Amino acid sequence: MLAKVYITLKQGVLDPQGKAVKNSLASLGYNEVKDIRVGKYIEVKLDEVSKEVAQIKVDEMCKRLLANTTVESYTFDLIE
Amino acid sequence: MKFGVIVFPGSNDDRDTEYAIGSVLGQSVKRIWHKETSLKDVDCVVLPGGFSYGDYLRCGAMAKMSPIMQEVVKFANNGGYVFGICNGFQVLTETGLLPGALLQNQCLSFVCEMSELEVKTNNSPFTKNFKKNEMIHIPIKHNDGCYFAQDDVLKELEDNDQIIIKYKNNPNGSIRDIAGICNKKKNVIGMMPHPEHAFEMMSGSTDGKRFFESLLI
């Protein structure tokens, strides 16, 4: 089982890194970029488990470690 | 007073902290490896500065999983003093012993300088030795020191007099210029500046020593 975890900054949290990337894209000529927010992508490879168990476990992993829920949101896809 | 300085893999200010508390302040101090499962008989735990676990994933995120941290949390919940410095502050927010989070500096660069700070309250065991609104100098050196908290948390911090120090010239974008806070019960403190580097005049200031002297009063 593979979990593809996407971690992003919550709305309202400033992202200076995203701003810097946007400015760099602008200097490359991409002035049509309105906004950039930088997040994290984590792949979690699990032993053979049911989708139901994986759903619960990966959600726990996100809450307990992979994401800081004070400032980050997370979603994940499960692929068998 | 007996102090215990926790050492994580990647901590680097543990020895300076031990020197400051032991040799300059003359208190009993020992370094405690993160895999230990007992704090023994310390009166105050110090989480030192550095790059525990290489700042991997997020600063302080994995240090909170170390065996000793379970004891530190129990100790804090029982009213024991905990002092988090820089990376230690990050560990405390990750553990939830202090509210909010420390993010990458808004200037996107590592800041290393002597910082002028305002002491916002002397109504805490760590700041009894200061006057309210007193200006002090303590060095800072960090890449991820931008303090952030949601509005409801900020209101609680203000209402309960939990904001300990604020930057005079905000170097990292911290919300409301917050450089250090304590918990509601005022037994846990966290700050980005490094008081252990301000114990002797040869490093430019002795204001850092006063936070620890306050505990001894």
Side-chain angles (χ1 to χ4, degrees), chain B:
Chain B
M1 230 177 159
K2 297 197 184 77
F3 291 82
V5 181
I6 310 295
V7 184
F8 299 102
S11 295
N12 68 2
D13 288 317
D14 48 302
R15 286 177 202 269
D16 277 5
T17 307
E18 186 188 27
Y19 167 79
I21 296 172
S23 301
V24 184
L25 199 56
Q27 297 298 299
S28 163
V29 62
K30 59 181 174 181
R31 286 182 300 133
I32 303 173
W33 183 232
H34 74 118
K35 287 220 161 108
E36 300 278 345
T37 51
S38 161
L39 289 169
K40 307 252 167 66
D41 56 351
V42 299
D43 304 305
C44 176
V45 170
V46 183
L47 300 176
F51 301 88
S52 60
Y53 292 87
D55 282 356
Y56 292 160
L57 191 63
R58 296 179 309 276
C59 301
M62 288 187 286
K64 74 182 181 209
M65 308 291 168
S66 288
I68 197 65
M69 282 309 296
Q70 288 188 50
E71 296 306 303
V72 174
V73 171
K74 261 191 245 163
F75 177 78
N77 289 336
N78 285 332
Y81 292 125
V82 180
F83 202 134
I85 301 169
C86 202
N87 187 222
F89 186 13
Q90 293 160 341
V91 175
L92 288 172
T93 56
E94 282 282 342
T95 316
L97 282 174
L98 287 175
L102 278 323
L103 305 173
Q104 190 178 12
N105 293 347
Q106 276 187 28
C107 54
L108 294 178
S109 59
F110 192 96
V111 174
C112 185
E113 62 191 27
M114 184 60 98
S115 184
E116 198 174 356
L117 304 148
E118 185 180 357
V119 180
K120 297 306 289 179
T121 177
N122 58 0
N123 181 22
S124 92
F126 306 93
T127 50
K128 275 183 270 177
N129 216 348
F130 297 92
K131 288 197 183 65
K132 193 173 165 178
N133 304 126
E134 186 179 343
M135 300 306 293
I136 60 173
H137 291 87
I138 310 226
I140 56 173
K141 43 175 194 174
H142 56 250
N143 192 53
D144 304 89
C146 175
Y147 182 73
F148 176 85
Q150 304 286 1
D151 287 340
D152 58 335
V153 172
L154 289 170
K155 183 170 189 311
E156 258 202 60
L157 291 177
E158 303 264 9
D159 289 349
N160 297 327
D161 206 16
Q162 288 172 244
I163 298 174
I164 298 285
I165 43 175
K166 283 194 178 186
Y167 299 105
K168 180 177 172 205
N169 301 306
N170 194 329
N172 53 33
S174 290
I175 206 161
R176 302 203 190 166
D177 304 326
I178 290 172
I181 59 170
C182 66
N183 63 342
K184 215 181 281 188
K185 285 202 296 207
K186 307 209 186 211
N187 63 309
V188 179
I189 187 176
M191 62 175 65
M192 284 314 293
H194 285 257
E196 78 280 21
H197 296 324
F199 264 60
E200 296 173 298
M201 265 330 285
M202 77 165 175
S203 61
S205 164
T206 54
D207 290 329
K209 187 164 68 153
R210 295 166 62 194
F211 288 95
F212 291 84
E213 281 173 334
S214 290
L215 278 179
L216 304 179
I217 295 173

Side-chain angles (χ1 to χ4, degrees), chain A residues 7 9-14 16-17 20 40 42 63-68 70-72, chain B residues 57-58 61-62 64-65 93-94 99-108 148-150:
Chain A
I7 296 166
L9 284 172
K10 281 186 169 162
Q11 285 272 49
V13 180
L14 240 68
Q17 205 182 182
K40 280 185 206 149
I42 300 177
K63 283 196 168 77
R64 291 182 73 187
L65 179 66
L66 300 180
N68 179 338
T70 300
V71 287
E72 292 171 330
Chain B
L57 191 63
R58 296 179 309 276
M62 288 187 286
K64 74 182 181 209
M65 308 291 168
T93 56
E94 282 282 342
L102 278 323
L103 305 173
Q104 190 178 12
N105 293 347
Q106 276 187 28
C107 54
L108 294 178
F148 176 85
Q150 304 286 1

